[in-house]
């Protein structure tokens, strides 16, 4: 299993991935023209033919054995420059009456664009067949999640100070969002799937045009809708846990459609960015892999030819990391090539 930039030949597999993501996964709609344009944009980003703040780096997890795409993820250079990037900010208003000797605090939702200019890690998805069972030892989820920090660390000057991740919110057994049904549906003449589809296609202007600009008092929402605020979809829990381990935290921002949390951090404070380091590869024939699951993640240092994969050994005291011929082929490197590596189990 390895991570690489998406290529034009991946369109069919990418559309197959899009069909499997399910409701609420706005960044990967099942629209072939949109996906083809997304691939073209990603190629231009990796080739640095776009300004850094307009780049969307899109990666795929490749199963070398079958040639299938097992998953994907992305990094948005900066959000909110071409189209507004909206959230609800969860706040509090205090009310008091001296005459009645009463004091109350009420939770509110403010429509805002506070994250404009931040980077975003997004579009993380693994096909079900690659999430568990015998493949668990391959650690596909952590590979797809953590490689983004190695990429950002290696090309740190292409990114701003902060990074965020939007997490999919709660949906019931019928695939409906209680938060949307109680709030968004009152302002948009659309069902959730259609609003979700338009957002995924980048058509977001209707949000600012139709949503109320004044605070929304959460006591006016249903109990089911209030219970969605800051909570994640069941399938999103592992991704949220990995982001929390890296140091991203919820600071009170939620998705305006499903109420899912947005977590954030300063990039230089993220564990994977702080602890990753440069070393030099040495290809060794007959190198034996240690027992147990892999813990070292290695990535190449040329943006257009970026590769990332688990490797069996970490660097020695002289900064040399030994690779088997298979590992070197997977990363497409030779002896002497620079690599950025991360011990996935090192405490931050």
């Amino acid at each position: 299993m390895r991570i690489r930039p998406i290529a034009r030949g991946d369109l069919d597999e990418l559309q197959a991935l899009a069909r499997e993501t399910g409701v609420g996964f706005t960044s990967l709609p099942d629209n072939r023209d949109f996906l083809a344009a997304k691939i073209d944009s990603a190629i231009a980003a990796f080739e640095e033919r776009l300004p850094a703040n307009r780049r969307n780096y899109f990666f795929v997890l490749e199963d070398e054995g079958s040639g299938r795409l097992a998953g994907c993820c992305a990094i948005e250079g900066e959000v909110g420059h071409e189209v507004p990037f909206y959230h609800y900010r969860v706040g509090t208003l205090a009310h008091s009456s001296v005459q009645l000797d009463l004091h109350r605090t009420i939770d509110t939702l403010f429509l805002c664009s506070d994250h404009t200019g931040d980077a975003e890690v997004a579009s993380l998805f693994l096909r079900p067949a690659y999430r568990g069972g015998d493949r668990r030892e391959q650690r596909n989820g952590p590979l797809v999640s953590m490689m983004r920090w190695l990429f950002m660390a290696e090309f740190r000057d292409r990114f701003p100070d902060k990074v965020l991740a939007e997490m999919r919110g709660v949906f019931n057994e019928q695939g409906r969002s209680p938060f949307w049904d109680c709030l968004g549906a009152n302002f948009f003449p659309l069902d959730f799937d259609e609003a979700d589809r338009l957002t995924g296609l980048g058509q977001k202007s209707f949000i600012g045009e139709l949503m109320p600009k004044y605070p929304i008092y959460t006591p006016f929402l249903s109990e089911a809708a209030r219970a969605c605020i800051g909570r994640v979809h069941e399938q999103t829990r592992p991704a949220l846990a990995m982001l929390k381990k890296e140091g991203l935290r919820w600071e009170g921002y939620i998705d305006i459609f499903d109420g899912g949390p947005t977590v954030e951090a300063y990039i230089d404070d993220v564990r994977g960015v702080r602890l990753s380091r440069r070393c030099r590869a040495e290809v060794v024939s007959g190198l034996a892999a240690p027992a147990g699951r892999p813990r070292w993640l290695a990535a190449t240092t040329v943006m257009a030819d970026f590769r990332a994969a688990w490797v069996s050994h970490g660097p020695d005291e002289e900064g040399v990391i030994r690779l088997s011929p298979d590992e070197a082929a997977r990363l497409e490197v030779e002896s002497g090539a620079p690599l950025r590596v991360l011990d996935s189990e090192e405490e931050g």
Side-chain angles (χ1 to χ4, degrees):
M1 308 297 292
R2 69 170 179 178
I3 294 285
R4 60 168 174 80
I6 197 164
R8 288 189 175 90
D10 295 322
L11 179 56
D12 289 341
E13 279 284 290
L14 182 62
Q15 188 167 20
L17 281 179
R19 289 169 178 162
E20 295 179 25
T21 56
V23 65
F25 202 94
T26 58
S27 60
L28 207 62
D30 180 14
N31 181 293
R32 192 172 182 84
D33 291 339
F34 177 87
L35 295 175
K38 193 179 191 75
I39 291 174
D40 288 341
S41 176
I43 292 172
F46 285 110
E47 294 177 352
E48 302 202 77
R49 291 186 280 109
L50 294 173
N53 63 2
R54 292 179 52 206
R55 295 177 190 169
N56 185 358
Y57 306 97
F58 198 90
F59 308 86
V60 292
L61 177 64
E62 181 182 38
D63 183 338
E64 294 175 281
S66 67
R68 298 184 71 203
L69 298 188
C72 62
C73 65
I75 306 172
E76 188 81 27
E78 292 187 19
V79 300
H81 288 300
E82 295 183 323
V83 292
F85 195 76
Y86 293 109
H87 284 105
Y88 278 134
R89 183 176 68 247
V90 181
T92 302
L93 285 178
H95 299 268
S96 62
S97 170
V98 175
Q99 183 179 8
L100 299 178
D101 192 25
L102 293 175
H103 181 86
R104 294 198 63 190
T105 57
I106 300 175
D107 289 338
T108 56
L109 304 177
F110 291 85
L111 187 67
C112 70
S113 299
D114 291 355
H115 287 292
T116 299
D118 293 347
E120 181 186 16
V121 289
S123 303
L124 192 153
F125 178 74
L126 278 178
R127 279 180 156 151
Y130 292 88
R131 295 177 191 169
D134 293 338
R135 297 182 183 271
R136 189 179 300 277
E137 288 303 309
Q138 295 178 359
R139 307 189 70 196
N140 293 324
L143 170 59
V144 175
S145 180
M146 287 191 291
M147 55 72 47
R148 297 176 295 186
W149 309 126
L150 272 70
F151 186 88
M152 297 179 82
E154 182 61 33
F155 307 107
R156 181 65 186 88
D157 60 334
R158 275 75 158 187
F159 295 97
D161 291 335
K162 295 185 70 176
V163 62
L164 65 93
E166 292 187 304
M167 314 307 294
R168 184 165 18 171
V170 173
F171 291 81
N172 61 25
E173 295 179 356
Q174 291 73 42
R176 299 190 64 85
S177 165
F179 188 83
W180 168 267
D181 288 343
C182 181
L183 182 55
N186 291 297
F187 298 97
F188 300 106
L190 308 167
D191 60 25
F192 181 92
D193 289 345
E194 179 63 12
D196 186 61
R197 186 186 71 83
L198 291 174
T199 301
L201 293 174
Q203 300 176 26
K204 301 180 181 180
S205 61
F206 68 91
I207 297 173
E209 294 165 353
L210 297 178
M211 287 301 287
K213 306 300 188 295
Y214 47 80
I216 294 171
Y217 287 68
T218 60
F220 290 153
L221 304 180
S222 67
E223 182 178 347
R226 292 198 304 272
C228 293
I229 294 175
R231 291 182 55 207
V232 297
H233 191 283
E234 190 66 30
Q235 294 181 2
T236 307
R237 291 184 183 278
L240 178 59
M242 285 186 283
L243 290 172
K244 285 184 174 180
K245 182 179 178 181
E246 296 298 322
L248 280 74
R249 294 291 180 265
W250 184 48
E251 300 290 349
Y253 292 89
I254 65 171
D255 183 84
I256 68 167
F257 284 173
D258 60 29
T262 291
V263 293
E264 59 187 278
Y266 284 96
I267 291 176
D268 293 329
D269 292 339
V270 174
R271 188 193 71 93
V273 174
R274 288 188 293 106
L275 300 182
S276 69
R277 49 185 162 137
R278 277 280 197 108
C279 64
R280 179 169 52 84
E282 180 182 338
V283 184
V284 179
S285 298
L287 183 66
R293 66 183 188 178
R295 61 181 290 174
W296 285 93
L297 181 61
T300 58
T301 59
V302 177
M303 182 178 291
D305 299 317
F306 185 82
R307 301 288 186 271
W310 292 112
V311 295
S312 55
H313 294 81
D316 60 22
E317 294 180 355
E318 297 181 354
V320 175
I321 184 169
R322 295 179 299 162
L323 304 177
S324 69
D326 284 346
E327 291 170 341
R330 187 167 297 120
L331 293 168
E332 299 182 18
V333 296
E334 299 177 347
S335 290
L339 292 173
R340 180 168 290 274
V341 300
L342 173 68
D343 181 352
S344 65
E345 298 182 11
E346 183 178 357
E347 294 296 329

